[in-house]
Amino acid sequence: MDYSGRQRRLSAQLVSRQQVSRQVDALLVTHLPNVRYLTGFTGSAAVLLASAKPLFFTDGRYREQAAQQVRGAKVVIPRGSALSAAVKACQAQRITRLGVEADRMSVSQFQALRRELGKGVKIVPLVGVVEALRAVKEPGEVKLIRQAVELSSSLFPALVKALKPGQTELSAAARLEYLARHSGAEGMSFETIIAAGSRSALPHGLASPARLPRRGFVVLDYGVVNQGYCSDMTRTVHLGRATARERAVYAAVLEAQLAGINALRPGATCGQVDEAARRVLRRAELAKFFTHSTGHGVGLEIHEPPRLGAKGEAVLQAGMVVTVEPGAYLPGRFGVRIEDMVLVTATGAEVLTPVDKALMELL
Amino acid sequence: MDYSGRQRRLSAQLVSRQQVSRQVDALLVTHLPNVRYLTGFTGSAAVLLASAKPLFFTDGRYREQAAQQVRGAKVVIPRGSALSAAVKACQAQRITRLGVEADRMSVSQFQALRRELGKGVKIVPLVGVVEALRAVKEPGEVKLIRQAVELSSSLFPALVKALKPGQTELSAAARLEYLARHSGAEGMSFETIIAAGSRSALPHGLASPARLPRRGFVVLDYGVVNQGYCSDMTRTVHLGRATARERAVYAAVLEAQLAGINALRPGATCGQVDEAARRVLRRAELAKFFTHSTGHGVGLEIHEPPRLGAKGEAVLQAGMVVTVEPGAYLPGRFGVRIEDMVLVTATGAEVLTPVDKALMELL
């Protein structure tokens, strides 16, 4: 990855922001996925001062790892806190306007920073600057995402094959996660959701000690991490024969998902994609059971911009990778969700997840 | 768990804080483990207004789960954001001084809150209020922590038995995590560290594709989650025969660890415990290779107060559960860390981790 190139693009952004009041000399990057994006560092404690003379601060635990990994910035292991060291560097570099990641800095950190910096430096709270760069993936990133998607998809047949009435959701998750690790995943990209029977009506039904019923839907929502990049997929299968009502809901969710994918193209707004999916469920009188947004960006984080939500005004660009994942959750009865990862291309969209979406009944 | 009791103790704290300028009518709890501690809610999106009339805010995804789980507060699913709904509730409840979790609230959230609340409500940034309550565990919590420690300890023999030269660190981690899930763990409490050979000198050497060498140390640092409560343990074993130098470093780290445990008692400061361990390594001329603090509290989070660091002034109390985990990391050569979980008792300390600490050579 071209870390210096990313830092150059960031610097160009910082000095040329539309609102003059948002222009800064440097950005104090405190959100770890952003630090990783800009330097390659994968550890759990670091701050980057993205300036003309970029400095990377971490602690003694990461001395060796930082020396091996960090590109495009000088590594500093300060005696005191990383924030205090960054303050001294701002003064040494004569920075007068310092941007901070307002979504990713605590009130405590902000107060300490203001106190230590004194009046000579103006702190400018900014939101989503690095995230905006990250939203459009480079070819090397798309490659790693494809690998993550393919890895998780390759596990799906074994996951489904092992679903048996009486088995716990947790043991199915344990097996899936073991296979994922053995296939080379660094880990799961979020806590595995396996929600069967009436639990399928919980949009976030983490795998539990509940046992799979003889019949009913099972929502399977999981992903893996490959060299830092996440995948995310959901399929809903049915144990035994589905009823006519279950089939109808499944068909509506699938149609909504295809409509969402179909609306994905450069120039479309996030809200338009959400509406394309939501409209299908509204016609099927299921809109009130679709209680979340249609999708989200995926990359170094499992949830990152853009967010495909109602009224979302952000405009899609080629190179963005998003999920499309409408669902319908009938409280106390059952739920269905279908989710792919999709790459926005120059002309439309490419579905990355190669797993069939026809209703699967396990008999 | 007695959630209402916890909220009562919190309320008593809020109105009677030593500094009058820190007294508040209510606390806006935004840190999820704190929300869980006070209400029992385990989902990933929630805000609690801890006031005379406590209100719990989440979104539509968690309607059913909140109804099932939340105790001691009325559940509200607002149309807009949880923060905006909390603002309205503050106004309705005539709250004039609102505490916020300054370590756990972003600058963006703080700005939005200030804008929406207007001038009638004073926002008071507070740090660690709920965490201070959480630091002293109730008997029911100690029971869950013991179970977590016993579960992870029970996996250790199988983990060690499967360590073979040529095997990757990742596949050893995969097997461990599979066994953990099958034994009833909700998940791992942090990313498993398996660091072999020269990688053992990385204090945070996450399991990697590196293969285990024919001889050398292997640092094994892992934990599980049991009903929300974490465990954390480290053992360092040796593949093949250890050299005299390796034995000497191991012996010094073990002596430091025992000295740390020995210093743990109600009334001791965190700094005294850290110094007790560090002094042993200083005498062995290894202090410069011990680059982190001696330990940390463990509970609903894997790292929580108190922190057993140099100069730590916090005073230990019976009911606290901490790790004691000195280490020595010789860059490019090898590292050793030994870690137990320890309960501070009325008279001293009880080691919870039942795994032997004598040097184990795998021949």
Side-chain angles (χ1 to χ4, degrees), chain A residues 44 61-62 64 102-103 105-108 110-111 125 127 170-171 174-175 177-178 181-182 202-204 292 331-332, chain B residues 61-62 64 102-103 105-108 110-111 125 127 170-171 174-175 177-178 181-182 202-204 292 331-332:
Chain A
S44 69
R61 292 174 304 167
Y62 288 115
E64 286 211 23
D103 278 357
M105 169 170 277
S106 72
V107 175
S108 296
F110 186 80
Q111 289 176 320
V127 170
L170 272 175
S171 71
R175 189 176 146 80
E177 293 171 13
Y178 179 68
R181 279 282 211 176
H182 256 282
L202 302 172
H204 270 220
H292 52 73
Chain B
R61 291 173 303 166
Y62 288 115
E64 286 210 25
D103 278 357
M105 170 171 276
S106 72
V107 175
S108 295
F110 186 80
Q111 289 176 320
V127 169
L170 271 175
S171 71
R175 189 177 145 79
E177 293 172 13
Y178 179 69
R181 279 282 212 176
H182 256 282
L202 301 172
H204 269 220
H292 53 73

Side-chain angles (χ1 to χ4, degrees), chain B residues 144-154 231 341 352-354:
Chain B
L144 295 178
I145 291 171
R146 275 185 202 277
Q147 288 171 353
V149 170
E150 280 158 17
L151 199 163
S152 47
S153 298
S154 74
S231 71
M341 275 174 61
L352 301 180
T353 313

Side-chain angles (χ1 to χ4, degrees), chain B residues 16-288:
Chain B
S16 66
R17 296 174 69 74
Q18 282 194 315
Q19 280 184 282
V20 175
S21 67
R22 305 279 94 176
Q23 292 179 2
V24 295
D25 308 328
L27 180 68
L28 193 63
V29 184
T30 45
H31 187 46
L32 285 170
N34 290 345
V35 174
R36 177 172 187 162
Y37 181 75
L38 294 168
T39 68
F41 179 71
T42 63
S44 69
V47 171
L48 174 70
L49 180 67
S51 67
K53 291 179 188 165
L55 293 174
F56 172 97
F57 304 95
T58 185
D59 63 51
R61 291 173 303 166
Y62 288 115
R63 185 181 295 275
E64 286 210 25
Q65 187 176 331
Q68 285 171 27
Q69 293 184 326
V70 173
R71 295 288 173 271
K74 186 179 163 194
V75 174
V76 180
I77 315 274
R79 275 184 171 258
S81 78
L83 272 192
S84 294
V87 164
K88 289 193 193 87
C90 285
Q91 288 157 345
Q93 295 189 19
R94 297 172 193 279
I95 288 163
T96 59
R97 296 179 59 81
L98 175 66
V100 298
E101 301 193 292
D103 278 357
R104 306 301 187 167
M105 170 171 276
S106 72
V107 175
S108 295
Q109 290 175 310
F110 186 80
Q111 289 176 320
L113 196 62
R114 197 161 52 184
R115 197 167 51 237
E116 294 191 33
L117 274 172
K119 298 208 168 166
V121 184
K122 166 88 177 157
I123 306 178
V124 182
L126 300 174
V127 169
V129 182
V130 183
E131 285 84 349
L133 296 178
R134 283 172 46 198
V136 179
K137 270 66 182 176
E138 301 160 5
E141 294 182 283
V142 173
K143 187 176 163 193
L144 295 178
I145 291 171
R146 275 185 202 277
Q147 288 171 353
V149 170
E150 280 158 17
L151 199 163
S152 47
S153 298
S154 74
L155 305 173
F156 186 72
L159 170 61
V160 169
K161 200 170 169 189
L163 292 177
K164 302 283 176 212
Q167 180 198 25
T168 67
E169 293 169 353
L170 271 175
S171 71
R175 189 177 145 79
L176 171 71
E177 293 172 13
Y178 179 69
L179 293 175
R181 279 282 212 176
H182 256 282
S183 306
E186 281 161 50
M188 307 308 286
S189 54
F190 57 93
E191 277 194 82
T192 298
I193 291 176
I194 297 185
S198 63
R199 290 192 82 251
S200 64
L202 301 172
H204 269 220
L206 299 183
S208 80
R211 291 183 186 280
L212 303 188
R214 292 176 59 88
R215 60 165 308 288
F217 279 123
V218 189
V219 173
L220 306 159
D221 185 355
Y222 66 96
V224 301
V225 183
N226 170 50
Q227 296 176 63
Y229 285 82
C230 299
S231 71
D232 191 356
M233 70 175 282
T234 308
R235 290 293 181 271
T236 303
V237 301
H238 200 281
L239 291 165
R241 293 260 180 237
T243 64
R245 174 67 172 152
E246 287 170 334
R247 288 174 171 280
V249 171
Y250 189 94
V253 171
L254 180 53
E255 191 189 337
Q257 206 252 355
L258 296 172
I261 293 168
N262 205 39
L264 264 183
R265 64 177 66 88
T269 67
C270 291
Q272 286 167 347
V273 177
D274 181 82
E275 176 55 22
R278 205 169 294 276
R279 187 188 303 133
V280 173
L281 291 171
R282 200 178 295 124
R283 276 198 220 115
E285 296 183 355
L286 291 169
K288 66 174 175 294

Side-chain angles (χ1 to χ4, degrees), chain A residues 142-162:
Chain A
V142 173
K143 187 176 164 192
L144 295 178
I145 291 171
R146 274 185 202 277
Q147 288 170 355
V149 171
E150 280 158 18
L151 199 162
S152 46
S153 298
S154 74
L155 306 173
F156 187 72
L159 170 61
V160 169
K161 201 170 167 189

